[in-house]
Amino acid sequence: ETGVTQTPRHLVMGMTNKKSLKCEQHLGHNAMYWYKQSAKKPLELMFVYNFKEQTENNSVPSRFSPECPNSSHLFLHLHTLQPEDSALYLCASSQVPGISYNSPLHFGNGTRLTVT
Amino acid sequence: AQSVTQLDSQVPVFEEAPVELRCNYSSSVSVYLFWYVQYPNQGLQLLLKYLSGSTLVKGINGFEAEFNKSQTSFHLRKPSVHISDTAEYFCAVRENSGGSNYKLTFGKGTLLTVNP
């Protein structure tokens, strides 16, 4: 049990589909993150939410739309994706730096996304 | 801006042998340093972290790392590895420059394969 739960674990979608990834953390954290992990590349930070407010959008295409209704839940809405978007999408949480600068990230097990 | 270089993409070793996974970073300010481990089909798990103080840091599963400021390195070591240590290992750095975002920069990862 990692404390950060992601669903679904696997997702196959066509380029015209709309789907959503869900992340839930049970650690009492107040910051949540989406990362993209592609083969042979470093983890790419996509979005950061502190206290439900988006504080970082790392030049992510608009076909990825995040939503953070509260500090425990984070969604990533997907639409009209491209095959190159196939990757492992990781959610993470932490305490917001400033309250605890040294709070490490806690990751979920990820959603393996395949775009056909 | 900070960057992380993991010099070896793959490290094969035999069971009970010692191992060192190398990590070098660059930054214009002081940093916090982390090693994460990713087992197959799982998210990343914190192995150990250097924040301040003693440059030799001990983590879980018998791993340790040493921060060398002059060489800007944070190499990970284990004196005797087990088959179960087979995983991908990621070095990460965060600049100690304040701010409200927890922006970790990750290396590309080193795949450690332990053979019987």
Side-chain angles (χ1 to χ4, degrees), chain A residues 2 8-9 19 28 32 38 42 48 88 92 99 103-107 113-114 116:
Chain A
T2 64
R9 290 297 308 275
K19 296 287 184 183
M32 297 189 78
S38 305
V48 181
L88 181 68
I99 294 175
S103 174
L105 295 179
H106 293 255
F107 285 86
L113 174 66
T114 304
T116 60

Side-chain angles (χ1 to χ4, degrees), chain A residues 4-113:
Chain A
V4 180
T5 305
Q6 289 188 243
T7 54
R9 290 297 308 275
H10 302 272
L11 178 62
V12 179
M13 59 185 290
M15 293 168 61
T16 58
N17 291 158
K18 290 185 180 181
K19 296 287 184 183
S20 296
L21 310 185
K22 179 182 176 182
C23 176
E24 183 175 0
Q25 60 96 1
H26 312 277
L27 300 169
H29 291 159
N30 39 44
M32 297 189 78
Y33 313 76
W34 280 116
Y35 279 86
K36 177 182 179 182
Q37 186 178 28
S38 305
K40 308 301 182 186
K41 295 174 67 175
L43 270 74
E44 300 172 56
L45 178 64
M46 300 175 71
F47 301 103
V48 181
Y49 279 81
N50 292 342
F51 298 106
K52 306 186 299 178
E53 298 298 322
Q54 186 180 126
T55 57
E56 181 89 14
N57 178 335
N58 201 21
S59 302
V60 180
S62 60
R63 56 186 185 271
F64 295 91
S65 174
E67 179 190 0
C68 188
N70 55 61
S71 292
S72 298
H73 293 85
L74 184 65
F75 296 89
L76 188 62
H77 304 299
L78 316 171
H79 64 98
T80 60
L81 295 191
Q82 306 298 312
E84 59 266 28
D85 297 322
S86 298
L88 181 68
Y89 288 84
L90 292 165
C91 174
S93 70
S94 75
Q95 294 294 352
V96 173
I99 294 175
S100 174
Y101 270 112
N102 305 320
S103 174
L105 295 179
H106 293 255
F107 285 86
N109 286 332
T111 295
R112 174 69 62 185
L113 174 66

